[in-house]
Amino acid sequence: MKSHRKELWFETKTRLAFVNITEDVQAALAASGVREGLCLVNAMHITASVFINDDESGLHEDYARWLEKLAPFDPSPEAYHHNRTGEDNGDAHHKRQIMGREVVVAITKGRLDFGRWEQIFYGEFDGRRDKRVLVKIIGA
Amino acid sequence: MKSHRKELWFETKTRLAFVNITEDVQAALAASGVREGLCLVNAMHITASVFINDDESGLHEDYARWLEKLAPFDPSPEAYHHNRTGEDNGDAHHKRQIMGREVVVAITKGRLDFGRWEQIFYGEFDGRRDKRVLVKIIGA
Amino acid sequence: MKSHRKELWFETKTRLAFVNITEDVQAALAASGVREGLCLVNAMHITASVFINDDESGLHEDYARWLEKLAPFDPSPEAYHHNRTGEDNGDAHHKRQIMGREVVVAITKGRLDFGRWEQIFYGEFDGRRDKRVLVKIIGA
């Protein structure tokens, strides 16, 4: 069994951002030499997500507004008890649960085994500082 | 390490539908010959989900109403900017994020290692056309 | 390829509860002898979740209130058609979809390959009875 590990680093300029990381994951897969297996891609921070959806700017605007409606940014400790700790990112811990921590992608014949429109995104909900994504590949 | 790949195809008659695919996944597992490993089951389309829950029609009615409340169908480009592209399925991209893209199921002694009520479902949110699910199995 | 299976059992005193299971998963990993691989941790019940987030009591209070808002407890069969079956846990099947069924964690050099604040939780939404979590580890 082969395995391969790669970290991707991000510092987004905005609190909320979506970054297409598909090519970075494909590069990690190429480096791994794995032909058949599974590829895990996960946020290493708990105020961020990795998810698969469409690379379409209108959709990303929709997601941003929708997440803001489901879990609005509010630094007050009344809105989010988590903010009693001195943090202001209680909302981000909720947005991340909607969008998910990780994706697992099949590897077939040395490629990410994707449908036509599948693209991997890093979803940032508390940006403007260094954050990491882990790519872990196992297979043969 | 063994690996096995199987596509399942669907064309639901309704825009929203839930299809129990547990037996199809079990058949793929039997064909794989894997005794110990992991089984990934994912939607290959970004307006559909694969999830595990109960095969109970009342619950599926509840999910349909709840998802419609959280992300209502609305073809207008004002409701969903994604619909500026000419699509009318902005809502489906949101419903899919709630229900998830994929499940990973343990394989033990050649069987899906399930709790008593676990069943795998394909969740369709923009049906009435051909869609695919991928089953990828790795193990020994 | 090595594989290892471990069940964790819970009976929470309250209907809703969050239990940190990180040490239990680490113990299963140590018992497995796997150095490089993947670790699946999933609820075996469909009214419970496994998720990764912060071990911070204020955040858990926030999650409880937020989930109650998104899918309120209501035993009536009008609120949840699922409750026509005689169950009163329709809400729990919805809360579980928000928080997710499972996590997949990378294993690197014999350890859970975590970011600084990542902790694994069992999320219970219909407690006060025996429930199970499955840990399945594969790798080399």
Side-chain angles (χ1 to χ4, degrees):
Chain A
M1 200 202 74
K2 289 179 185 171
S3 69
H4 183 74
R5 180 191 196 273
K6 173 74 178 171
E7 286 184 10
L8 311 178
W9 285 79
F10 305 92
E11 185 175 345
T12 64
K13 291 177 185 172
T14 49
R15 183 177 284 269
L16 184 149
F18 300 119
V19 182
N20 190 332
I21 59 174
T22 313
E23 288 187 12
D24 298 298
V25 178
Q26 283 168 337
L29 175 53
S32 76
V34 169
R35 300 284 299 166
E36 299 291 329
L38 295 178
C39 177
L40 168 70
V41 189
N42 69 266
M44 298 186 80
H45 297 259
I46 51 189
T47 52
S49 289
V50 171
F51 66 95
I52 286 175
N53 217 296
D54 200 357
D55 195 355
E56 199 280 300
S57 61
L59 179 64
H60 297 180
E61 292 168 24
D62 294 333
Y63 280 151
R65 283 181 297 137
W66 184 63
L67 291 168
E68 202 56 35
K69 189 175 155 192
L70 290 174
F73 171 70
D74 188 332
S76 77
E78 291 76 33
Y80 297 100
H81 294 177
H82 180 58
N83 293 343
R84 290 176 185 165
T85 61
E87 299 272 5
D88 66 358
N89 62 8
D91 66 304
H93 290 271
H94 292 66
K95 290 174 167 108
R96 123 67 170 259
Q97 290 305 123
I98 296 283
M99 298 303 277
R101 168 187 179 261
E102 79 217 10
V103 296
V104 179
V105 182
I107 301 164
T108 302
K109 296 179 182 171
R111 299 175 68 93
L112 298 174
D113 197 337
F114 268 156
R116 173 77 181 86
W117 298 103
E118 289 191 284
Q119 297 279 306
I120 310 176
F121 289 89
Y122 173 64
E124 175 63 83
F125 309 116
D126 185 28
R128 300 179 298 189
R129 54 196 176 96
D130 271 352
K131 306 280 275 279
R132 285 183 294 163
V133 160
L134 179 63
V135 183
K136 185 84 185 193
I137 293 166
I138 71 166
Chain B
M1 199 202 76
K2 289 180 186 171
S3 70
H4 183 74
R5 179 190 196 274
K6 173 75 178 172
E7 286 184 9
L8 311 177
W9 286 78
F10 305 93
E11 185 175 344
T12 64
K13 291 178 184 171
T14 48
R15 183 177 285 268
L16 185 149
F18 299 119
V19 182
N20 189 332
I21 60 174
T22 312
E23 287 187 13
D24 298 298
V25 178
Q26 284 167 336
L29 175 52
S32 76
V34 168
R35 299 284 299 167
E36 298 291 328
L38 295 178
C39 176
L40 168 69
V41 189
N42 70 266
M44 299 186 79
H45 296 259
I46 52 189
T47 51
S49 289
V50 170
F51 65 94
I52 286 174
N53 218 296
D54 199 358
D55 196 355
E56 199 280 299
S57 61
L59 180 64
H60 297 180
E61 292 169 23
D62 293 333
Y63 279 153
R65 283 181 298 136
W66 184 62
L67 292 167
E68 201 57 34
K69 190 175 155 192
L70 290 175
F73 171 70
D74 187 332
S76 77
E78 290 76 32
Y80 297 101
H81 293 177
H82 180 58
N83 293 344
R84 289 176 186 164
T85 61
E87 299 272 5
D88 66 358
N89 62 7
D91 67 303
H93 290 272
H94 293 65
K95 290 175 167 107
R96 123 68 170 257
Q97 289 306 122
I98 296 283
M99 298 303 277
R101 169 186 178 262
E102 80 218 9
V103 296
V104 178
V105 181
I107 301 164
T108 301
K109 296 180 183 170
R111 299 175 69 94
L112 298 175
D113 197 336
F114 269 154
R116 173 78 181 83
W117 298 104
E118 289 192 284
Q119 296 279 307
I120 310 176
F121 289 89
Y122 174 64
E124 175 63 82
F125 308 116
D126 184 29
R128 300 179 297 190
R129 55 197 174 94
D130 270 353
K131 307 280 275 279
R132 285 184 294 163
V133 160
L134 179 63
V135 182
K136 185 85 185 191
I137 293 164
I138 71 167
Chain C
M1 199 201 76
K2 288 179 184 171
S3 69
H4 184 73
R5 179 190 196 274
K6 173 76 178 169
E7 285 184 10
L8 311 177
W9 286 78
F10 305 92
E11 185 174 345
T12 65
K13 290 178 185 173
T14 48
R15 183 176 284 269
L16 186 148
F18 300 119
V19 182
N20 190 332
I21 60 174
T22 311
E23 287 187 12
D24 299 299
V25 178
Q26 284 167 335
L29 175 52
S32 76
V34 168
R35 300 283 300 165
E36 299 291 329
L38 294 177
C39 177
L40 168 69
V41 189
N42 68 266
M44 299 186 80
H45 296 259
I46 51 188
T47 51
S49 288
V50 170
F51 66 95
I52 286 176
N53 218 297
D54 200 357
D55 196 355
E56 198 280 300
S57 61
L59 180 64
H60 297 180
E61 293 169 23
D62 293 333
Y63 280 152
R65 283 181 298 137
W66 184 62
L67 291 167
E68 201 56 33
K69 189 176 154 193
L70 289 175
F73 171 70
D74 187 332
S76 77
E78 290 75 33
Y80 297 101
H81 293 177
H82 180 58
N83 293 343
R84 290 176 185 165
T85 61
E87 300 272 5
D88 66 359
N89 62 7
D91 67 304
H93 291 271
H94 292 66
K95 291 174 167 109
R96 123 70 168 256
Q97 289 305 122
I98 296 284
M99 299 303 277
R101 168 186 178 263
E102 80 216 9
V103 296
V104 178
V105 181
I107 301 163
T108 301
K109 296 179 182 171
R111 297 176 69 94
L112 299 174
D113 197 335
F114 268 155
R116 172 78 179 85
W117 298 103
E118 290 191 285
Q119 296 279 309
I120 310 176
F121 290 90
Y122 173 65
E124 175 63 82
F125 308 115
D126 184 30
R128 300 180 297 189
R129 56 197 173 93
D130 270 353
K131 307 279 276 278
R132 286 183 294 162
V133 160
L134 178 64
V135 182
K136 184 85 186 192
I137 293 165
I138 70 167

